[in-house]
Amino acid sequence: MPASWVDMKVGRDTMEGYLTQPEAAGRHPAVVVIQEIWGVNSHIQSVTDRLPSQGYVGLAPAMFHREGRMTLGLHEEMQTALARLGKCTDANIVADVRAAVEYLKAQPFVRPDRIGIVGFCFGGRVSYLAACNVADLKASVVFYGGRILQPLGGSGPSPLEQTAKITSPVLGLFGEEDQNPTPADVAKIEAELKKHGKAHEFHMYPGCGHGFHCDGRASYRAEAARDAWAKTMAWFNKHLKE
């Protein structure tokens, strides 16, 4: 099926999303794909485009929809992107993910009991936070999620401090040379998961920094990106198809 843009309601707001689905009839497991801080750009769309060939519906919600429809940014526009990030709150993030999940559950081509989430950078943090707060998610994948140790938009608990609430197995994929999260940050996150007995699997890639999966950035590392994506699909196949 051709990709399409769809609208979802989040309270009084409307959030757009990039939707892909398999050609085959019937119900399929689905994956919510969460953007980096540059929006649902060509890279995030290309990731979502990969899912139908693997038997999944893909949906990339526009997490910056409160800034205006189709809010995008160039990789060089770091300060603008960080300003948008600064306006995010964890409460709104959870509301957006829940809206995306509810949209998927309502579609006749989706298995409502087999929905996962994957996110990159800012989206990796969203995936971790969603694993703590959205019980309908059955598998979560975190690509180098920064700021998991801090809350956004207030003084509430950080995603790390909500680890005890996680209800889905978490796959974490990180770069050894990343500064956000640092290897020390990753160790703290994994220690918290172990402390609470949460199913997880973490992988650290030598020679990789932040954003190693994005082929539109200088940080791209092709071999690590291929391996991390293979691990991602194996994770979803295990928890959303078996």
Side-chain angles (χ1 to χ4, degrees):
M1 298 286 291
S4 61
W5 287 93
V6 299
D7 286 339
M8 295 160 273
K9 295 300 294 183
V10 186
R12 296 181 179 180
D13 297 319
T14 300
M15 176 175 67
E16 67 270 28
Y18 183 78
L19 179 71
T20 60
Q21 63 187 95
E23 294 280 357
R27 290 181 177 268
H28 308 278
V31 175
V32 180
V33 180
I34 305 294
Q35 64 184 59
E36 298 175 306
I37 57 174
W38 293 280
V40 184
N41 59 11
S42 58
H43 172 63
I44 296 302
Q45 292 177 38
S46 71
V47 171
T48 313
D49 287 339
R50 299 177 187 182
L51 294 167
S53 66
Q54 302 298 313
Y56 294 92
V57 174
L59 177 62
M63 304 295 288
F64 290 166
H65 62 93
R66 294 173 184 84
E67 297 294 303
R69 291 184 66 83
M70 305 304 294
T71 296
L72 299 174
L74 300 175
H75 293 143
E76 294 79 12
E77 298 174 328
M78 179 64 75
Q79 293 308 311
T80 299
L82 289 174
R84 290 172 181 150
L85 174 65
K87 296 178 183 179
C88 291
T89 69
D90 284 340
N92 283 344
I93 288 169
V94 171
D96 289 348
V97 174
R98 284 180 174 155
V101 170
E102 289 302 315
Y103 177 88
L104 287 169
K105 288 169 61 180
Q107 304 310 307
F109 48 84
V110 171
R111 290 185 62 182
D113 61 339
R114 291 291 185 273
I115 298 175
I117 188 169
V118 59
F120 304 84
C121 183
F122 159 73
R125 182 187 184 279
V126 172
S127 290
Y128 196 94
L129 180 66
C132 301
N133 291 280
V134 184
D136 288 315
L137 293 171
K138 302 303 181 187
S140 302
V141 179
V142 175
F143 272 83
Y144 34 83
R147 306 192 188 198
I148 288 174
L149 280 65
Q150 295 89 33
L152 280 181
S155 58
S158 68
L160 181 70
E161 292 169 323
Q162 300 179 56
T163 298
K165 300 193 297 178
I166 286 178
T167 57
S168 59
V170 177
L171 174 66
L173 304 159
F174 305 96
E176 198 172 71
E177 297 178 4
D178 201 340
Q179 295 305 302
N180 182 27
T182 64
D185 292 337
V186 173
K188 291 178 182 177
I189 297 166
E190 185 163 31
E192 196 70 7
L193 287 162
K194 289 179 178 178
K195 172 184 172 182
H196 294 287
K198 301 301 179 180
H200 71 284
E201 184 178 304
F202 275 18
H203 298 274
M204 185 72 72
Y205 289 90
C208 294
H210 200 74
F212 69 80
H213 186 263
C214 180
D215 58 7
R217 299 172 65 179
S219 54
Y220 177 60
R221 298 294 182 269
E223 185 176 349
R226 285 192 295 269
D227 184 81
W229 186 251
K231 285 181 169 60
T232 297
M233 294 315 304
W235 195 254
F236 286 143
N237 289 342
K238 177 180 179 180
H239 295 291
L240 301 183
K241 286 188 174 181
E242 293 180 2

